[in-house]
Amino acid sequence: KKKKKKKRKKFLMVSLCHWVEWPAGSLAVDNRSALDVCVMPAPLTMDFLQQLPDGPHMQELWLAVLLALPLLGAKVLFERLVANRLGLWMGVPAPAEHSRAPRPGKEQRRRKAVVPVMRKFEEAAWKCFIYSVTVVLGLVVMWGKPWLLDTELVWVRFPNHEYDAGIKFYYLLELGLYISFSLTHFFDTQRKDFWEMALHHVFTVLLLTTSYFGNTIRIGTNVLLLHDISDVFLESSKMAHYAMFTHLPTVLFVVFATTFFVTRLVLFPYFCIIPCFTESPHHSHTPVNVMFLRSLLLGLQLLHYFWFGIILKMCLNPRKYQAEGDARSSAEEDIISDADDMKKKKKK
């Protein structure tokens, strides 16, 4: 009975793959496992990737998990030793300086949930720093790579792709970073788009894992490089706002909104999503993991449209942005009153 069940499962998996993408004549998958059918184009198996000297190997994914742990430690040390001192130097009030006498009733209960401005500054500073590192690292390791500008080369000779140590380290570092983001997301400042951001982290971790697992790293590197650029300007804009600068937050936010639109709404579909639908079928019978990759890319794009809607609201109501600093804040009125108190202290 167990053997019959296994045969049925294998038959259903093979039939599904043929029904979705593969030509009726490519029956070379009959002797392959379900994992081979899901990940590799017919008639290849997972052993093919293991035999590539410089190809991605499954066991290397553990390095991303190991990198996530020191990144968590680096976050704590950076926020306490670097970001805190930088915030004080820039004029961000310390938590003790930020406290006030308790207010009665509902107002007092609401005040207890307010996150100190210094804490928000520290979080923004860490993200600004680490995104700057990944952008510079990505530009260095991707410089001169032919598939960066030619979308057709992303799938040429797939899955017979090999990578140097720099590309692998960059990829695994980004995967470890987003694993750490997924863990700290529940402890950092909570905002209105809490669940959307959590979903974004899940999508990104799944995308990086499956693309490394199935050797579609070329499309993954393009995704990472396009994503991180705008985040640098977003976090630096928040830092400038928390430091109560006058015009710098607005300038940085305009740069962020422009780079977000260009990289995520124009370049991301052109270099990442469209090639996954138009180029990949020309070079191989599409395995299941590539179809899963398409779904994740479309999910990320929907989140991009959601966040760009927030950006447009901030552009249409700049006064509210100057008071909040981030349209995703979970306690808008508190931030407004905090900003007023900070201005009064500076005047005194």
Side-chain angles (χ1 to χ4, degrees):
K1 288 183 178 179
K2 290 183 179 179
K3 289 183 179 179
K4 287 183 179 179
K5 286 183 179 179
K6 288 183 179 180
K7 287 182 179 179
R8 286 177 184 174
K9 288 181 180 179
K10 188 173 181 179
F11 175 76
L12 290 173
M13 182 67 71
V14 173
S15 301
L16 174 65
C17 294
H18 280 284
W19 178 73
V20 174
E21 285 281 355
W22 291 341
S26 62
L27 294 176
V29 294
D30 290 345
N31 296 323
R32 303 193 304 158
S33 67
L35 181 62
D36 296 331
V37 172
C38 288
V39 178
M40 299 299 294
L44 301 176
T45 65
M46 291 297 294
D47 293 335
F48 175 81
L49 292 182
Q50 301 300 316
Q51 292 169 3
L52 290 175
D54 295 321
H57 301 146
M58 288 187 292
Q59 58 269 26
E60 293 172 349
L61 287 172
W62 286 106
L63 294 175
V65 180
L66 296 177
L67 284 171
L69 298 177
L71 283 170
L72 289 173
K75 177 182 185 298
V76 175
L77 292 175
F78 183 89
E79 289 179 351
R80 293 184 179 181
L81 301 180
V82 179
N84 186 275
R85 296 179 182 179
L86 178 63
L88 293 175
W89 179 75
M90 294 176 65
V92 179
E97 185 183 336
H98 191 260
S99 61
R100 57 174 64 83
R103 303 185 182 185
K106 193 182 288 186
E107 182 73 10
Q108 182 178 350
R109 289 194 300 270
R110 185 168 61 85
R111 286 283 171 189
K112 290 180 181 178
V114 178
V115 179
V117 176
M118 179 60 80
R119 179 71 191 123
K120 295 177 183 178
F121 179 88
E122 292 170 354
E123 293 174 3
W126 163 249
K127 289 181 180 178
C128 182
F129 168 75
I130 197 64
Y131 280 133
S132 300
V133 171
T134 56
V135 167
V136 173
L137 179 61
L139 290 173
V140 170
V141 300
M142 291 288 291
W143 189 263
K145 296 297 185 289
W147 70 83
L148 183 60
L149 298 176
D150 191 342
T151 57
E152 188 174 352
L153 293 179
V154 170
W155 297 102
V156 169
R157 298 178 64 242
F158 170 79
N160 189 19
H161 294 165
E162 297 186 75
Y163 308 95
D164 55 43
I167 291 285
K168 285 187 175 183
F169 175 75
Y170 170 60
Y171 215 77
L172 294 172
L173 177 67
E174 287 273 18
L175 178 54
L177 179 63
Y178 277 97
I179 292 174
S180 69
F181 282 164
S182 301
L183 296 175
T184 59
H185 182 65
F186 296 90
F187 303 98
D188 288 342
T189 303
Q190 295 190 7
R191 306 184 187 278
K192 289 181 179 179
D193 65 342
F194 176 84
W195 292 111
E196 288 83 1
M197 185 60 72
L199 189 63
H200 172 270
H201 293 335
V202 171
F203 280 176
T204 307
V205 171
L206 288 175
L207 189 149
L208 295 178
T209 304
T210 55
S211 58
Y212 200 90
F213 194 74
N215 203 9
T216 53
I217 292 179
R218 290 186 177 184
I219 200 73
T221 52
N222 290 350
V223 171
L224 290 172
L225 200 57
L226 290 173
H227 264 68
D228 290 350
I229 294 174
S230 61
D231 288 325
V232 175
F233 299 106
L234 172 63
E235 302 303 333
S236 59
S237 174
K238 287 195 272 187
M239 289 172 63
H241 167 76
Y242 297 142
M244 299 302 295
F245 288 178
T246 307
H247 301 295
L248 185 59
T250 304
V251 173
L252 290 172
F253 178 76
V254 171
V255 176
F256 157 70
T258 305
T259 55
F260 187 96
F261 176 80
V262 173
T263 57
R264 302 202 187 189
L265 300 188
V266 178
L267 298 181
F268 179 75
Y270 180 78
F271 284 101
C272 301
I273 297 179
I274 295 176
C276 270
F277 286 89
T278 60
E279 302 292 348
S280 58
H282 298 312
H283 299 290
S284 66
H285 305 315
T286 308
V288 174
N289 82 306
V290 174
M291 291 183 276
F292 184 56
L293 181 67
R294 294 172 179 172
S295 303
L296 292 172
L297 291 173
L298 289 175
L300 285 175
Q301 189 62 13
L302 289 176
L303 290 173
H304 296 164
Y305 289 134
F306 168 76
W307 280 315
F308 191 68
I310 295 179
I311 293 172
L312 289 178
K313 288 181 181 179
M314 297 171 75
C315 293
L316 295 174
N317 196 349
R319 290 185 179 180
K320 188 176 180 182
Y321 165 68
Q322 290 173 358
E324 293 178 13
D326 191 344
R328 302 177 295 133
S329 296
S330 58
E332 299 169 6
E333 296 177 6
D334 290 323
I335 298 174
I336 294 172
S337 60
D338 292 342
D340 292 339
D341 290 344
M342 290 160 62
K343 287 179 180 177
K344 290 177 182 177
K345 286 182 181 179
K346 285 194 172 183
K347 287 181 179 179
K348 291 179 181 179

